[in-house]
Amino acid sequence: FDAYYYYGRPAFAAGDIEKSVELWRKAAEVPREDFESPLLQAQPLRKLGRLEESAAVNREAVRRAERLLDINPFSARVLSFGAGALSEDGQADRAMEWARRAEQLYPDDMAVIINGACLRARMGLKDEALDLLERVLNKGWGKKDWIENDPDYDSLRGEPRFKAMMSNLK
């Protein structure tokens, strides 16, 4: 799992989208409770235009995330990251509920904040997304190469605030 999952992240960040799809597919086959690999795999599949395949693995990510929250309803990672999968599945209200719950429970967790910003950017809530991003990106947190390839940020790319934050990242 670790080899596939963690190799998929730099492959995606480097723009090797096909490789990231395959690596995350393999990672998702190892521990069946892992929700992150199918969620991550759905993103590059969308970017490649393979929408039906993306929707199917995203639904699997939602199913796995729900099961994990049944076990631990306070998991920051599942709530914040899973919110994106819910949004992609057309469950916008539920996605915002999960994201807000994570933000209330873990207001200083960088991943929670970034995931909340991505969710809001996808939902067209640009000002909210930029406010959250400013909390982390202006501190030098965040990975520029990832953000440059992540379609979640597409709605923000023309925004002057976003451009200024990106210029500060290495």
Side-chain angles (χ1 to χ4, degrees):
F1 167 80
D2 287 347
Y4 294 131
Y5 178 83
Y6 289 109
Y7 186 29
R9 295 184 73 86
F12 179 80
D16 195 346
I17 306 305
E18 290 281 356
K19 179 174 261 188
S20 68
V21 167
E22 183 60 21
L23 290 165
W24 284 326
R25 182 193 62 74
K26 288 179 180 178
E29 292 174 353
V30 181
R32 292 289 184 188
E33 68 277 1
D34 168 49
F35 77 100
E36 290 184 42
S37 297
L39 189 152
L40 288 168
Q41 182 187 14
Q43 184 177 33
L45 284 167
R46 280 192 307 277
K47 193 169 182 164
L48 292 169
R50 294 162 54 184
L51 302 181
E52 286 183 30
E53 196 176 348
S54 173
V57 296
N58 188 73
R59 279 191 300 277
E60 178 63 15
V62 168
R63 188 184 66 72
R64 292 179 184 193
E66 290 170 334
R67 190 174 325 139
L68 289 170
L69 281 181
D70 285 343
I71 297 166
N72 178 6
F74 303 104
S75 171
R77 189 78 176 161
V78 176
L79 286 167
S80 69
F81 209 33
L86 287 171
S87 172
E88 196 59 41
D89 194 45
Q91 300 182 52
D93 290 341
R94 194 166 172 222
M96 285 302 292
E97 175 190 321
W98 281 25
R100 287 189 176 117
R101 197 160 116 214
E103 292 158 10
Q104 288 171 348
L105 290 168
Y106 308 97
D108 298 319
D109 184 302
M110 182 187 75
V112 167
I113 297 166
I114 293 272
N115 289 330
C118 287
L119 174 67
R120 286 163 175 87
R122 279 197 315 261
M123 296 176 84
L125 304 170
K126 292 181 186 181
D127 287 333
E128 288 183 38
L130 291 167
D131 289 346
L132 288 172
L133 283 175
E134 280 180 338
R135 291 178 53 196
V136 293
L137 297 186
N138 285 342
K139 294 179 182 177
W141 296 346
K143 296 182 178 4
K144 188 173 188 173
D145 55 352
W146 182 278
I147 294 169
E148 288 171 342
N149 285 294
D150 190 337
D152 288 351
Y153 296 97
D154 286 351
S155 69
L156 304 177
R157 296 197 193 284
E159 299 293 322
R161 283 171 66 193
F162 183 76
K163 289 178 181 179
M165 285 183 262
M166 288 298 291
S167 70
N168 292 330
L169 290 179
K170 296 178 182 180

